[in-house]
Structure formats: structure tokens, C-alpha cells
Amino acid sequence: MADITALEKMRQYFNSRITQPYVFRKEQLKKLKTSILSHEQDLYDALHLDLKKSPEESWVTETGMVIAELNAALKNLRNWMEPERAATNLLNMPSGSRVLKEPLGVVLIIGPWNYPFQLLINPLIGAMAAGNCVILKPSEFAPATDKVMKKIIEEVFPKEYILYVQGDGATVIPQMMNNFTFDHVFFTGSTTVGKIIYKMAAERLVPVTLELGGKSPCVVEKDANVQVAARRIVMTKFSNAGQMCVAPDYLLVHESVKDKLLTAMKATIGKFFTDKPEESYNYGKIINEKQFNRITGYLSQGTIVHGGRVDKEKLFIEPTILTDVPADASVMKDEIFGPVLPVIPFNTTEEAKAVIDKHPNPLSLYIYTSSKRKENKWLEAVPAGGSCINNSSWHLTNHHLPFGGRGLSGTGCYHGKYSFETFSHKKAVMKTPTWFDPNIKYPPFKGKLKLFKWVIK
Ligand code: NAD
């Protein structure tokens, strides 16, 4: 638990301006990179223990993503920090205008358990690049990774700069947020807890970024390349045993290609994870018994056309495809966040759209089609945090794109320069020379309306 004195010390450290120079920020980012790389094997071991991830999967979705984000920050930091020149309107001539990127101060970053490393450390990179002091609060449900991350941070950073706080979120976070005014809170987790965080932040007018979950639809049109769609959907739906915020939550497939797609997906699951996924190098486990019990509850809510086997002791749930799912079943109401995929056939776009409209503003929307017209129609029809065409989930690994939700799936975004912007304040500065100070700008104003109308229009 963080005592408030520790947070006050961070405020003093920030106020000393030590974190602000370019050289300091760059040095710290380099230290972070070195520390991560020196614990690379520990991270693989920990991620395997917590979630049964292979080193390859861990590199692509956790460590590698973080290293790519660090490299981008190291390469572009000077450029991101540069003040932006802005134009000046006629009213303020001959002033000059610019926008400074100011660090926010002492910020809190809260992480979830499903990608416990990447989802805590990636926002940290943006916050450090922007010159802030950071409190890191990992999820308590990935304890092995939590332990390694603590080492990575504490071996290289003083507590006044980066403070690593462990413990039960429901206790530790209110204790900090109700007794200390953070300059920003960056939260990744469920919509339910996101609302609690938002409320606490509102009490002190603390700005927030909320990276939440939800039901991301995946639409397969009749003109889709079905074989490719099957591979890409199976890959991301069952990666990390479905415990991915941007996994396709449910599938809307055109009736005319439904059977072909189901056949292709079943064959693909076999190829990727064998007929014994519990023993597969490529297949993960459910994080804990609570989540296992929640997800297995969905298995009876439709016809199982593939999978359905479970093993509580191993926290194993087989990649499962469900059909004939009633619209009011809880599997079609909650975010599934596990390896269960309901498949819903449609004949018209309106039918498919009506299903999506029950969960507005999803975190992601996936469309499989070979028609540019259909692609654009779907993109216009469904507001979403992000989208992939003929792909699922991979947009999040491109740090040139902003990543975030809208409405119930979140507010704000990050990755690459968007992270830097999230953790910076844009300070508007106008500088006015003193050699020109016409009387026209000052009272008396009587008779100047026509001129003012000419200047301000
Ligand atoms: P969670 O909301 O249960 O927990 C997230 C964090 O909040 C943890 O650090 C936890 O300690 C803390 N917390 C829990 N209860 C709290 C409370 N009452 N008050 C304050 N803090 C509290 O989420 P989770 O189970 O760790 O993760 C799964 C959820 O996260 C899913 O909904 C998933 O979609 C979402 N998610 C979103 C993204 C994204 O980038 N948008 C990424 C991963 C996960």
C-alpha cells in the first residue's frame, strides 16, 4: 500500500523539474529498456506461469510490443517535445503563437491481468517520455509477472520518480485517489471498475484515460475470403485463451458462407492447437477459478459445434464455437473474455446491424469482405474505437495508430506519439511585441464596430 507521504515526495520531485529535460527523459527510457531486456527470461517464465503463454506469444504481444514502443519513443522524443508553431489571427497581429507540450505531473497508471506487462508498461513509456512522475498499480491477479515488473522498475528508478504499488485494487486505489490529487489517471480494465475510477477522479477533477472492454463484433460477408478469415479469426479469438480486450467477441456471418466458414474454423483450430489444446504449446489457460466459472457458464447457452471440453484443475477451456444462441442469453450480453465464440448468421446488413446496435461503441469492429463499398458502408454504420478490414485485433500492435475506445469501451487513446500527447498538456502561448500598440484596441470603443467586424470574421 502506498502511503500518502510517498506520493507527496513524488510531487516534490516533479516540482524540482528534474524529470523535464530531454536528456533526463531519454536516459530513463534507456534504463527501462535495459532493465526489461535483462529480465527477458524472467518475464517469459512469469507469463507462462500466470497465463501459459509461450515465449513467442509473449514477445509478440507483451515484451516485443513494449520494446517497439520504447524504440519509437527514443527515436522520436526530441521531435515530440518540440513546441508546435501556430498561426496568429488578424486580431492579434503582430503576435507570434506556439503550443508547448508540458508534463502533467504525478500520474497514476492502473493495469489489468490479461496482458499484465504490456498494458502497464506501454502507458508508462508515454508518461515518462512526456516528463511525468508515475505510480504504477498492476493487477493483483497475475502475481508472477507482477513480481518481475516490480524488480524491473525498482532496480533502476528511485521511488520519487516511479513508484510501484502492489495490492488489492479495490483497497489500494481508493486509498490513493481519495487522499491525493493525481494529475492524470490512466486506467485499463473493465467497464464496471472504469466507472468507479471515473467517479473518484471526478471528485477532484482529475482527467482520465479509460481503456475498457466490451463486445467487439466480427462481420464475415458473403464475398469474404473465407479461408483467410477463418485463420485470422481463430488466431485472435483463441490467442491468450480468448482473454483479450480486442478479441472478436461474436461472429456475424452471412448465411450463404456460414457452413464453409465453420468447417474452415474447425480445421484451423485443430491445426493451430491440435486436438488436445490443453497440451498445446500454443494455447493458454484461464487466469483463475473465478474467471473459469464465469466462462464455463456460457457453454450451455447454445449448440456446441466445436470444443466444449473443460478441466478445472488445469484452468483449461477448449476453443469453443457456439451456434443457435438466443439473443437474450448472457453470452450475448456480457463481454465474453474467454475462448467461446457465438456464431450468428445474417441475411441482410440490417439484421446484422441490429445485433451490433445492442452494444453500441464497441472497442473494435472487424469486417471481412472483398468489396470496398461494403467495407466503407460498415465503417460508416458502426462507431467503434478502432477497426480492421480482413483482419482482427492486429491494429493495436501498430504504434502509428491511436488505440482506445469510445463510450462504454473507453475514453482517450494512446500508443506512440498519442501516448506522449495523452500525458502532456498542450500549453497555448502567444507572445506580443511592444513596439506596436495601436489605440484602436483600447476604449473608447464608440464608432469602432464596423472596423471590429472587419477584423473579427
Ligand atoms: P478489472 O477492472 O477487474 O481490474 C483492473 C484494475 O483495476 C486492476 O489493477 C485492479 O486491481 C483494479 N481494481 C479492481 N477493482 C477495483 C475497485 N473496486 N476500485 C479500484 N480499482 C479496482 O479488469 P481485469 O479483470 O483486470 O481486466 C479485464 C477487463 O479489462 C476486460 O473488461 C477487458 O476488456 C479490459 N481490458 C481492456 C483493455 C483495453 O486496452 N481497452 C485491455 C485489456 C483489458
Side-chain angles (χ1 to χ4, degrees):
M1 198 173 282
D3 71 277
I4 302 307
T5 342
L7 304 182
E8 297 295 356
K9 278 189 184 154
M10 296 183 81
R11 170 82 66 220
Q12 283 166 21
Y13 191 76
F14 177 77
N15 287 346
S16 76
R17 299 173 51 85
I18 196 168
T19 63
Q20 302 214 7
Y22 166 77
V23 175
F24 177 89
R25 301 186 198 189
K26 188 150 189 175
E27 275 311 305
Q28 307 313 308
L29 290 170
K30 279 188 189 161
K31 274 190 201 168
L32 178 61
K33 185 173 170 182
T34 309
S35 188
I36 290 169
L37 291 175
S38 74
H39 288 286
E40 190 179 338
Q41 188 57 49
D42 302 336
L43 281 169
Y44 292 149
D45 296 343
L47 288 163
H48 191 265
L49 214 60
D50 285 333
L51 286 148
K52 198 174 158 273
K53 290 186 196 190
S54 67
E56 290 82 356
E57 183 176 346
S58 289
W59 178 261
V60 174
T61 62
E62 301 254 21
T63 30
M65 257 186 90
V66 166
I67 294 297
E69 186 83 6
L70 264 166
N71 289 341
L74 285 164
K75 185 171 162 213
N76 297 301
L77 184 60
R78 177 135 2 230
N79 192 17
W80 293 344
M81 285 176 70
E82 278 295 306
E84 270 168 42
R85 286 175 60 142
T88 301
N89 56 352
L90 186 59
L91 177 68
N92 289 297
M93 286 295 180
S95 303
S97 304
R98 63 190 190 274
V99 181
L100 301 185
K101 284 74 171 282
E102 226 175 35
L104 298 177
V106 180
V107 304
L108 171 63
I109 296 175
I110 305 165
W113 51 258
N114 61 331
Y115 290 88
F117 178 67
Q118 185 250 116
L119 292 170
L120 190 74
I121 306 298
N122 260 5
L124 169 69
I125 295 165
M128 287 170 64
N132 299 283
C133 292
V134 186
I135 289 94
L136 287 173
K137 162 62 185 78
S139 166
E140 59 274 37
F141 296 117
T145 314
D146 182 6
K147 211 166 146 192
V148 180
M149 293 195 294
K150 184 171 158 61
K151 263 197 207 160
I152 288 174
I153 296 302
E154 293 188 348
E155 274 175 18
V156 287
F157 299 125
K159 286 189 166 42
E160 302 80 47
Y161 176 41
I162 314 284
L163 182 68
Y164 194 90
V165 176
Q166 292 173 299
D168 165 34
T171 313
V172 170
I173 294 168
Q175 190 230 351
M176 291 193 286
M177 287 187 71
N178 293 329
N179 293 292
F180 183 81
T181 304
F182 289 100
D183 295 293
H184 194 91
V185 175
F186 187 104
F187 171 82
T188 305
S190 61
T191 301
T192 310
V193 177
K195 287 180 188 172
I196 298 173
I197 300 291
Y198 210 175
K199 260 192 200 155
M200 285 190 284
E203 278 299 315
R204 290 174 176 246
L205 287 183
V206 172
V208 293
T209 301
L210 300 173
E211 297 282 340
L212 310 176
K215 290 185 88 61
S216 296
C218 180
V219 180
V220 182
E221 285 281 7
K222 63 179 169 195
D223 55 12
N225 180 329
V226 170
Q227 295 302 326
V228 171
R231 280 158 69 94
R232 295 184 183 170
I233 293 165
V234 165
M235 169 74 194
T236 47
K237 174 65 191 184
F238 300 113
S239 171
N240 203 24
Q243 301 163 111
M244 188 199 285
C245 61
V246 286
D249 187 273
Y250 58 96
L251 211 60
L252 286 158
V253 55
H254 195 274
E255 183 72 62
S256 62
V257 289
K258 181 185 145 203
D259 291 342
K260 201 173 155 196
L261 182 70
L262 284 176
T263 307
M265 285 203 302
K266 288 187 217 171
T268 308
I269 292 172
K271 264 190 211 152
F272 288 179
F273 309 116
T274 75
D275 57 358
K276 276 201 163 170
E278 60 270 53
E279 289 169 16
S280 169
Y281 180 83
N282 302 313
Y283 193 63
K285 72 174 182 75
I286 305 304
I287 187 82
N288 55 32
E289 217 174 287
K290 185 179 164 202
Q291 294 297 327
F292 176 91
N293 292 337
R294 183 186 62 78
I295 301 163
T296 48
Y298 297 136
L299 297 176
S300 55
Q301 296 183 359
T303 307
I304 296 177
V305 294
H306 185 90
R309 284 187 309 111
V310 302
D311 181 337
K312 196 167 190 161
E313 217 154 274
K314 291 184 175 159
L315 293 172
F316 162 75
I317 300 177
E318 196 177 8
T320 299
I321 302 175
L322 290 182
T323 57
D324 312 316
V325 179
D328 61 353
S330 59
V331 74
M332 280 311 294
K333 286 184 174 159
D334 313 336
E335 176 185 11
I336 298 170
F337 216 58
V340 179
L341 182 64
V343 176
I344 300 152
F346 70 89
N347 282 301
T348 64
T349 306
E350 290 66 33
E351 256 178 64
K353 175 86 171 39
V355 177
I356 297 174
D357 285 347
K358 288 188 180 151
H359 309 281
N361 295 317
L363 184 55
S364 305
L365 164 73
Y366 306 122
I367 305 147
Y368 287 84
T369 179
S370 54
S371 152
K372 182 84 186 159
R373 188 184 59 78
K374 280 189 186 149
E375 169 189 326
N376 287 336
K377 211 171 150 190
W378 277 113
L379 285 175
E380 279 166 25
V382 183
S387 192
C388 290
I389 316 297
N390 294 323
N391 210 341
S392 307
S393 317
W394 285 92
H395 62 307
L396 132 132
T397 62
N398 177 2
H399 62 256
H400 300 288
L401 285 174
F403 177 67
R406 52 179 294 171
L408 286 177
S409 63
T411 180
C413 65
Y414 74 128
H415 285 179
K417 82 163 183 232
Y418 300 99
S419 291
F420 179 86
E421 286 173 1
T422 287
F423 289 104
S424 301
H425 170 69
K426 288 192 166 82
K427 186 192 236 177
V429 178
M430 196 169 76
K431 183 174 173 180
T432 310
T434 52
W435 54 263
F436 183 65
D437 203 26
N439 287 338
I440 192 79
K441 293 172 93 172
Y442 300 98
F445 291 132
K446 199 153 196 273
K448 294 178 183 171
L449 185 59
K450 208 171 158 192
L451 179 72
F452 286 177
K453 281 193 171 177
W454 178 75
V455 174
I456 307 174
K457 57 177 183 275

